[in-house]
């Protein structure tokens, strides 16, 4: 009788523990899923400092974030060549193997440096663009609507704001007031967007003291750009980034709503071969499978390259191994004087060769 009672007690305790176990497994599954996806709070926090940028500039930032190595390389080069004007930068980088959007951001010295210094922000933005480009652009419109409601997003001397009403939503366009001149806005998200509605704090970028303050926004000095810069934009109706098929030859002075509808624009596609870096776990789990295959191929390529390099180095050392030569007492000691290297100051002429052609890639 005592054994029967004990068995009943054990059975009842096991049955009561089943819901707890099931609930814990469900929580673990929820946690693993949530770690693979960015929440609206995380995405809004990443987009907060750039959501109010002109559409063309925003386009280049979104594309460039998917090529982080290019961004870092461009920033290092730009920090060593701050003396170059935007026109000179465009000429020098014409043959450099960086993504066109990264080269378009090179004249924006402070902006490019901010992006390269915050690698966590850069990775998060690039991940979200690769995972769901439409969702990123949708959250940009949400942030713009908040800034519009607070009265901090209006047409002024720096930008032109245009609104278009759709049956279920409103689209807000932002363009430079002067088509050939771009100003970069810096602002406090808590002020511009009003009361921040997430528990996750928004990312805030610092600005120089010399920036001009107007309507709760600090504006950078003007940057004069050629038509080369204006090859990208956003197709807000379809929620994807577009780029111009051919180099842009003239400035566009029409409505931004009609600009991207022309057949000269095509949808931008990420180039997995050009990235030259592994994709994060979130991208592999949530984005198309081609990102996973690209990461695996990249890892195998680096592994094979490392093995080949080790074997080559070993054979080279074996081949060049020589026996030590015994020195006599009459050997004279030779003193060497090493002159310090002369640092040539950056000059525009350093990018020109004797034939008058430009050797840009080697100079960089």
């Amino acid at each position: 009788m005592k054994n029967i009672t004990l068995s009943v007690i054990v059975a009842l305790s096991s049955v009561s523990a089943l819901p707890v176990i099931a609930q814990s497994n469900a929580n673990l599954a929820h946690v693993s899923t949530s770690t693979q996806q960015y929440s609206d709070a995380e995405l809004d926090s990443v987009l907060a400092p750039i959501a109010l940028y002109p559409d063309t500039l925003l386009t280049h930032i979104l594309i460039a974030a998917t090529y982080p190595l290019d961004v870092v390389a461009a920033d290092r080069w730009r920090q060593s060549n701050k003396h170059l004007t935007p026109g000179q930068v465009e000429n020098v980088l014409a043959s450099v193997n960086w993504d066109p959007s990264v080269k378009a951001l090179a004249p924006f010295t402070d902006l490019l440096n901010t992006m390269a210094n915050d690698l966590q922000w850069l990775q998060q933005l690039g991940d979200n663009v690769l995972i769901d480009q439409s969702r990123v652009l949708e959250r940009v419109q949400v942030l713009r609507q908040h800034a519009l409601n607070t009265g901090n997003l209006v047409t002024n001397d720096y930008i032109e704001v245009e609104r278009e009403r759709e049956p279920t939503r409103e689209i807000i366009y932002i363009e430079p007031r002067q088509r050939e001149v771009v100003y970069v806005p810096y602002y406090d998200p808590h002020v511009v967007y009003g009361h921040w509605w997430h528990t996750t704090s928004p990312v805030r970028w610092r600005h120089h003291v010399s920036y001009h303050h107007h309507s709760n926004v600090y504006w950078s000095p003007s940057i004069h750009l050629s038509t080369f810069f204006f090859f990208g934009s956003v197709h807000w109706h379809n929620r994807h980034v577009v780029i111009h098929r051919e180099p842009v030859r003239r400035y566009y002075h029409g409505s931004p709503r009609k600009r991207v509808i022309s057949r000269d624009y095509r949808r931008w596609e990420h180039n997995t071969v050009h990235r030259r870096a592994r994709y994060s776990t979130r991208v592999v789990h949530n984005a198309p499978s081609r990102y996973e295959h690209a990461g695996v191929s990249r890892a195998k390529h680096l592994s094979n390259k490392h093995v080949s390099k080790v074997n080559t180095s070993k054979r080279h050392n074996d081949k060049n191994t020589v026996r030590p030569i015994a020195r006599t007492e009459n050997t004279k000691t030779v003193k060497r004087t090493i002159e310090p290297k002369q640092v040539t100051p950056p000059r525009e002429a350093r990018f020109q060769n004797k034939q008058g052609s430009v050797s840009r890639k080697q100079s960089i």
Side-chain angles (χ1 to χ4, degrees):
M1 184 67 180
K2 185 179 298 183
N3 294 335
I4 296 176
T5 305
L6 181 61
S7 300
V8 172
I9 294 175
V10 172
L12 290 176
S13 62
S14 302
V15 172
S16 62
L18 287 177
V20 178
I21 297 175
Q23 184 178 3
S24 61
N25 292 336
N27 293 335
L28 290 175
H30 176 71
V31 170
S32 61
T33 303
S34 62
T35 56
Q36 296 174 7
Q37 297 178 354
Y38 287 89
S39 64
D40 288 346
E42 293 175 318
L43 182 54
D44 289 353
S45 174
V46 172
L47 294 173
I50 62 174
L52 304 185
Y53 281 18
D55 290 348
T56 302
L57 180 58
L58 175 65
T59 301
H60 295 322
I61 294 176
L62 296 180
I63 296 176
T66 63
Y67 305 106
L69 295 182
D70 284 1
V71 173
V72 174
D75 172 63
R76 292 178 179 178
W77 175 83
R78 185 57 174 155
Q79 293 300 317
S80 302
N81 297 272
K82 292 183 179 180
H83 62 287
L84 297 179
T85 63
Q88 293 172 334
V89 170
E90 178 183 341
N91 294 331
V92 171
L93 300 182
S95 62
V96 179
N97 189 25
W98 293 338
D99 184 81
S101 287
V102 176
K103 293 191 285 187
L105 292 176
F108 300 86
T109 309
D110 296 334
L111 173 60
L112 188 64
N113 184 250
T114 303
M115 294 174 59
N117 287 336
D118 195 345
L119 296 180
Q120 182 179 1
W121 176 90
L122 187 64
Q123 178 184 348
Q124 291 178 351
L125 179 61
D127 286 354
N128 280 281
V129 173
L130 294 173
I131 293 173
D132 194 345
Q133 189 180 139
S134 176
R135 179 170 176 250
V136 171
L137 298 176
E138 182 66 36
R139 300 310 301 179
V140 168
Q141 286 295 325
V142 170
L143 292 171
R144 289 184 176 185
Q145 191 65 51
H146 280 280
L148 185 69
N149 296 337
T150 58
N152 292 313
L153 181 59
V154 294
T155 299
N156 50 40
D157 296 337
Y158 307 98
I159 58 174
E160 183 175 345
V161 180
E162 185 176 344
R163 301 163 63 183
E164 181 184 6
R165 186 65 188 177
E166 291 186 339
T168 58
R169 61 188 179 184
E170 184 181 39
I171 299 177
I172 302 175
Y173 302 87
I174 303 178
E175 292 289 325
R177 189 63 183 273
Q178 304 178 40
R179 295 295 181 254
E180 68 278 4
V181 179
V182 176
Y183 298 88
V184 181
Y186 290 83
Y187 46 83
D188 185 354
H190 290 283
V191 175
V192 172
Y193 299 118
H195 178 70
W196 191 253
W197 53 97
H198 295 304
T199 56
T200 305
S201 299
V203 176
R204 181 184 179 184
W205 286 354
R206 299 183 179 275
H207 58 84
H208 291 288
V209 181
S210 59
Y211 284 11
H212 183 68
H213 182 262
H214 179 74
S215 299
N216 294 325
V217 178
Y218 291 88
W219 299 91
S220 71
S222 61
I223 301 178
H224 294 261
L225 300 168
S226 68
T227 56
F228 165 77
F229 176 79
F230 299 93
F231 64 85
S233 190
V234 180
H235 198 304
W236 289 109
H237 291 282
N238 296 334
R239 293 292 194 266
H240 59 246
V241 175
V242 294
I243 55 176
H244 205 273
R245 298 176 184 272
E246 302 293 336
V248 181
R249 302 299 181 185
R250 60 184 180 86
Y251 295 104
Y252 181 82
H253 293 278
S255 171
R257 293 179 295 176
K258 301 179 180 179
R259 176 181 182 180
V260 297
I261 299 178
S262 66
R263 60 183 180 181
D264 294 332
Y265 284 88
R266 59 181 173 86
R267 183 169 183 171
W268 168 78
E269 293 291 342
H270 175 71
N271 187 355
T272 58
V273 178
H274 182 76
R275 179 177 170 92
R276 301 189 298 272
R278 297 184 62 181
Y279 295 92
S280 68
T281 305
R282 296 191 180 189
V283 173
V284 173
H285 287 169
N286 295 276
S289 58
R290 64 191 182 99
Y291 298 139
E292 181 178 6
H293 297 330
V296 173
S297 300
R298 171 70 179 170
K300 290 182 178 179
H301 173 71
L302 292 178
S303 178
N304 295 336
K305 186 176 180 181
H306 177 70
V307 172
S308 176
K309 184 177 180 181
V310 171
N311 294 336
T312 304
S313 177
K314 183 178 180 180
R315 291 195 302 268
H316 181 74
N317 293 334
D318 294 341
K319 182 178 180 180
N320 295 334
T321 302
V322 295
R323 297 180 179 179
I325 301 176
R327 296 185 178 181
T328 61
E329 296 181 356
N330 297 331
T331 303
K332 295 182 180 180
T333 304
V334 180
K335 295 183 179 180
R336 298 181 179 179
T337 303
I338 302 177
E339 298 181 357
K341 296 182 179 179
Q342 296 181 356
V343 180
T344 305
R347 293 179 300 176
E348 184 179 2
R350 65 182 293 192
F351 304 110
Q352 303 290 336
N353 57 19
K354 295 182 180 180
Q355 289 77 15
S357 59
V358 182
S359 179
R360 303 181 181 94
K361 188 172 183 180
Q362 295 180 357
S363 299
I364 295 171

CSV table of all heavy atoms in Angstrom, one decimal, residues 271-299:
chain,number,residue,atom,x,y,z
A,271,ASN,N,25.7,43.1,-53.7
A,271,ASN,CA,26.7,42.2,-54.3
A,271,ASN,C,27.5,41.4,-53.3
A,271,ASN,O,28.3,42.0,-52.5
A,271,ASN,CB,27.7,43.1,-55.1
A,271,ASN,CG,28.7,42.3,-56.0
A,271,ASN,OD1,28.7,41.0,-55.9
A,271,ASN,ND2,29.5,42.9,-56.8
A,272,THR,N,27.2,40.1,-53.2
A,272,THR,CA,27.8,39.3,-52.2
A,272,THR,C,29.3,39.1,-52.4
A,272,THR,O,30.1,38.9,-51.5
A,272,THR,CB,27.1,37.9,-52.2
A,272,THR,OG1,27.2,37.3,-53.5
A,272,THR,CG2,25.7,38.0,-51.8
A,273,VAL,N,29.7,39.1,-53.7
A,273,VAL,CA,31.2,38.9,-54.0
A,273,VAL,C,32.0,40.1,-53.6
A,273,VAL,O,33.1,40.0,-53.1
A,273,VAL,CB,31.3,38.7,-55.5
A,273,VAL,CG1,32.8,38.5,-55.9
A,273,VAL,CG2,30.5,37.5,-56.0
A,274,HIS,N,31.4,41.3,-53.7
A,274,HIS,CA,32.2,42.5,-53.4
A,274,HIS,C,32.3,42.8,-51.8
A,274,HIS,O,33.2,43.5,-51.4
A,274,HIS,CB,31.5,43.7,-54.0
A,274,HIS,CG,32.3,45.0,-53.8
A,274,HIS,ND1,33.5,45.3,-54.4
A,274,HIS,CD2,32.0,46.0,-52.9
A,274,HIS,CE1,33.9,46.5,-54.0
A,274,HIS,NE2,33.1,47.0,-53.1
A,275,ARG,N,31.4,42.2,-51.1
A,275,ARG,CA,31.4,42.5,-49.6
A,275,ARG,C,32.7,42.1,-49.0
A,275,ARG,O,33.3,42.8,-48.1
A,275,ARG,CB,30.3,41.7,-49.0
A,275,ARG,CG,30.2,41.9,-47.4
A,275,ARG,CD,29.0,41.2,-46.8
A,275,ARG,NE,29.1,41.2,-45.4
A,275,ARG,CZ,28.5,42.1,-44.6
A,275,ARG,NH1,27.9,43.2,-45.2
A,275,ARG,NH2,28.6,42.1,-43.3
A,276,ARG,N,33.3,40.9,-49.3
A,276,ARG,CA,34.6,40.5,-48.7
A,276,ARG,C,34.6,40.4,-47.2
A,276,ARG,O,35.6,40.7,-46.6
A,276,ARG,CB,35.7,41.4,-49.2
A,276,ARG,CG,35.8,41.5,-50.7
A,276,ARG,CD,37.1,42.2,-51.1
A,276,ARG,NE,37.1,43.6,-50.7
A,276,ARG,CZ,36.5,44.6,-51.4
A,276,ARG,NH1,36.0,44.4,-52.5
A,276,ARG,NH2,36.5,45.8,-50.9
A,277,ALA,N,33.5,40.1,-46.6
A,277,ALA,CA,33.4,40.0,-45.2
A,277,ALA,C,32.2,39.0,-44.9
A,277,ALA,O,31.3,38.9,-45.6
A,277,ALA,CB,33.1,41.3,-44.5
A,278,ARG,N,32.3,38.4,-43.7
A,278,ARG,CA,31.3,37.4,-43.3
A,278,ARG,C,30.0,38.1,-42.9
A,278,ARG,O,30.1,39.2,-42.4
A,278,ARG,CB,31.8,36.5,-42.2
A,278,ARG,CG,33.0,35.7,-42.5
A,278,ARG,CD,33.4,34.8,-41.4
A,278,ARG,NE,32.3,33.8,-41.1
A,278,ARG,CZ,32.4,33.0,-40.1
A,278,ARG,NH1,33.5,32.9,-39.3
A,278,ARG,NH2,31.4,32.1,-39.8
A,279,TYR,N,28.9,37.4,-43.1
A,279,TYR,CA,27.6,38.0,-42.7
A,279,TYR,C,27.3,37.5,-41.2
A,279,TYR,O,27.7,36.4,-40.8
A,279,TYR,CB,26.5,37.5,-43.6
A,279,TYR,CG,26.7,38.1,-45.0
A,279,TYR,CD1,27.4,37.3,-46.0
A,279,TYR,CD2,26.1,39.3,-45.4
A,279,TYR,CE1,27.5,37.8,-47.3
A,279,TYR,CE2,26.3,39.8,-46.7
A,279,TYR,CZ,27.0,39.0,-47.6
A,279,TYR,OH,27.1,39.5,-48.9
A,280,SER,N,26.6,38.3,-40.5
A,280,SER,CA,26.3,38.0,-39.1
A,280,SER,C,25.3,36.9,-39.1
A,280,SER,O,24.6,36.5,-40.1
A,280,SER,CB,25.7,39.2,-38.4
A,280,SER,OG,24.4,39.6,-39.0
A,281,THR,N,25.1,36.3,-37.9
A,281,THR,CA,24.1,35.2,-37.7
A,281,THR,C,22.7,35.6,-38.0
A,281,THR,O,21.9,34.9,-38.6
A,281,THR,CB,24.2,34.7,-36.3
A,281,THR,OG1,25.6,34.3,-36.0
A,281,THR,CG2,23.3,33.5,-36.1
A,282,ARG,N,22.4,36.9,-37.7
A,282,ARG,CA,21.0,37.3,-37.9
A,282,ARG,C,20.7,37.4,-39.4
A,282,ARG,O,19.6,37.1,-39.9
A,282,ARG,CB,20.8,38.7,-37.3
A,282,ARG,CG,20.9,38.7,-35.8
A,282,ARG,CD,20.4,40.0,-35.2
A,282,ARG,NE,20.5,40.0,-33.7
A,282,ARG,CZ,20.0,40.9,-32.9
A,282,ARG,NH1,19.4,42.0,-33.5
A,282,ARG,NH2,20.1,40.9,-31.6
A,283,VAL,N,21.7,37.9,-40.2
A,283,VAL,CA,21.5,37.9,-41.6
A,283,VAL,C,21.4,36.6,-42.2
A,283,VAL,O,20.5,36.3,-43.1
A,283,VAL,CB,22.7,38.7,-42.3
A,283,VAL,CG1,22.6,38.7,-43.8
A,283,VAL,CG2,22.7,40.1,-41.8
A,284,VAL,N,22.2,35.6,-41.8
A,284,VAL,CA,22.1,34.3,-42.3
A,284,VAL,C,20.8,33.6,-42.1
A,284,VAL,O,20.2,32.9,-42.9
A,284,VAL,CB,23.3,33.4,-41.8
A,284,VAL,CG1,23.2,32.0,-42.2
A,284,VAL,CG2,24.6,34.0,-42.2
A,285,HIS,N,20.2,33.9,-40.9
A,285,HIS,CA,19.0,33.2,-40.5
A,285,HIS,C,17.8,33.9,-41.1
A,285,HIS,O,16.7,33.2,-41.2
A,285,HIS,CB,18.9,33.2,-38.9
A,285,HIS,CG,19.8,32.2,-38.3
A,285,HIS,ND1,20.0,32.2,-36.9
A,285,HIS,CD2,20.6,31.2,-38.8
A,285,HIS,CE1,20.9,31.2,-36.6
A,285,HIS,NE2,21.2,30.6,-37.8
A,286,ASN,N,17.8,35.2,-41.4
A,286,ASN,CA,16.6,35.9,-41.8
A,286,ASN,C,16.7,36.3,-43.2
A,286,ASN,O,15.6,36.6,-43.8
A,286,ASN,CB,16.5,37.1,-40.9
A,286,ASN,CG,16.2,36.8,-39.5
A,286,ASN,OD1,15.0,36.5,-39.1
A,286,ASN,ND2,17.2,36.8,-38.6
A,287,ALA,N,17.8,36.4,-43.8
A,287,ALA,CA,17.9,37.0,-45.2
A,287,ALA,C,17.9,35.8,-46.2
A,287,ALA,O,18.0,34.6,-45.8
A,287,ALA,CB,19.2,37.8,-45.4
A,288,PRO,N,17.9,36.1,-47.5
A,288,PRO,CA,18.0,35.0,-48.5
A,288,PRO,C,19.2,34.1,-48.3
A,288,PRO,O,20.2,34.5,-47.7
A,288,PRO,CB,18.1,35.8,-49.8
A,288,PRO,CG,17.4,37.0,-49.5
A,288,PRO,CD,17.7,37.4,-48.1
A,289,SER,N,19.1,32.8,-48.8
A,289,SER,CA,20.1,31.8,-48.5
A,289,SER,C,21.4,32.2,-49.2
A,289,SER,O,22.5,31.6,-48.9
A,289,SER,CB,19.6,30.5,-49.0
A,289,SER,OG,19.3,30.5,-50.4
A,290,ARG,N,21.4,33.1,-50.2
A,290,ARG,CA,22.6,33.4,-50.9
A,290,ARG,C,23.6,34.0,-50.0
A,290,ARG,O,24.8,33.9,-50.2
A,290,ARG,CB,22.3,34.3,-52.1
A,290,ARG,CG,21.8,35.6,-51.8
A,290,ARG,CD,21.3,36.3,-53.0
A,290,ARG,NE,20.8,37.6,-52.8
A,290,ARG,CZ,21.4,38.7,-53.0
A,290,ARG,NH1,22.7,38.7,-53.5
A,290,ARG,NH2,20.9,39.9,-52.8
A,291,TYR,N,23.2,34.7,-48.9
A,291,TYR,CA,24.1,35.3,-48.0
A,291,TYR,C,24.9,34.2,-47.2
A,291,TYR,O,26.0,34.3,-46.9
A,291,TYR,CB,23.4,36.3,-47.0
A,291,TYR,CG,22.8,37.4,-47.7
A,291,TYR,CD1,21.5,37.9,-47.4
A,291,TYR,CD2,23.4,38.1,-48.8
A,291,TYR,CE1,20.9,39.0,-48.0
A,291,TYR,CE2,22.9,39.2,-49.4
A,291,TYR,CZ,21.6,39.6,-49.0
A,291,TYR,OH,21.0,40.7,-49.7
A,292,GLU,N,24.1,33.1,-46.8
A,292,GLU,CA,24.8,32.0,-46.1
A,292,GLU,C,25.8,31.3,-47.0
A,292,GLU,O,26.9,31.0,-46.6
A,292,GLU,CB,23.7,31.0,-45.7
A,292,GLU,CG,24.2,29.9,-44.9
A,292,GLU,CD,23.2,28.9,-44.4
A,292,GLU,OE1,22.0,29.1,-44.8
A,292,GLU,OE2,23.5,28.0,-43.7
A,293,HIS,N,25.4,31.1,-48.3
A,293,HIS,CA,26.4,30.4,-49.2
A,293,HIS,C,27.6,31.3,-49.4
A,293,HIS,O,28.7,30.8,-49.5
A,293,HIS,CB,25.7,30.1,-50.5
A,293,HIS,CG,24.5,29.2,-50.3
A,293,HIS,ND1,24.5,28.2,-49.4
A,293,HIS,CD2,23.4,29.0,-51.1
A,293,HIS,CE1,23.4,27.5,-49.5
A,293,HIS,NE2,22.7,28.0,-50.5
A,294,ALA,N,27.4,32.6,-49.5
A,294,ALA,CA,28.5,33.5,-49.7
A,294,ALA,C,29.4,33.5,-48.5
A,294,ALA,O,30.6,33.5,-48.6
A,294,ALA,CB,28.0,34.9,-50.0
A,295,GLY,N,28.9,33.4,-47.3
A,295,GLY,CA,29.7,33.4,-46.1
A,295,GLY,C,30.5,32.1,-46.0
A,295,GLY,O,31.7,32.1,-45.7
A,296,VAL,N,29.9,31.0,-46.4
A,296,VAL,CA,30.6,29.7,-46.3
A,296,VAL,C,31.7,29.7,-47.4
A,296,VAL,O,32.8,29.2,-47.1
A,296,VAL,CB,29.6,28.6,-46.5
A,296,VAL,CG1,30.3,27.3,-46.7
A,296,VAL,CG2,28.6,28.5,-45.4
A,297,SER,N,31.4,30.2,-48.6
A,297,SER,CA,32.4,30.2,-49.6
A,297,SER,C,33.6,31.1,-49.2
A,297,SER,O,34.8,30.8,-49.5
A,297,SER,CB,31.8,30.7,-50.9
A,297,SER,OG,30.7,29.8,-51.3
A,298,ARG,N,33.3,32.2,-48.6
A,298,ARG,CA,34.3,33.1,-48.2
A,298,ARG,C,35.2,32.5,-47.1
A,298,ARG,O,36.4,32.6,-47.2
A,298,ARG,CB,33.7,34.4,-47.6
A,298,ARG,CG,34.6,35.4,-46.9
A,298,ARG,CD,35.5,36.0,-47.8
A,298,ARG,NE,36.4,37.0,-47.1
A,298,ARG,CZ,37.5,37.6,-47.6
A,298,ARG,NH1,37.8,37.3,-48.9
A,298,ARG,NH2,38.2,38.4,-47.0
A,299,ALA,N,34.6,31.8,-46.2
A,299,ALA,CA,35.4,31.1,-45.1
A,299,ALA,C,36.3,30.0,-45.7
A,299,ALA,O,37.4,29.9,-45.3
A,299,ALA,CB,34.4,30.5,-44.1
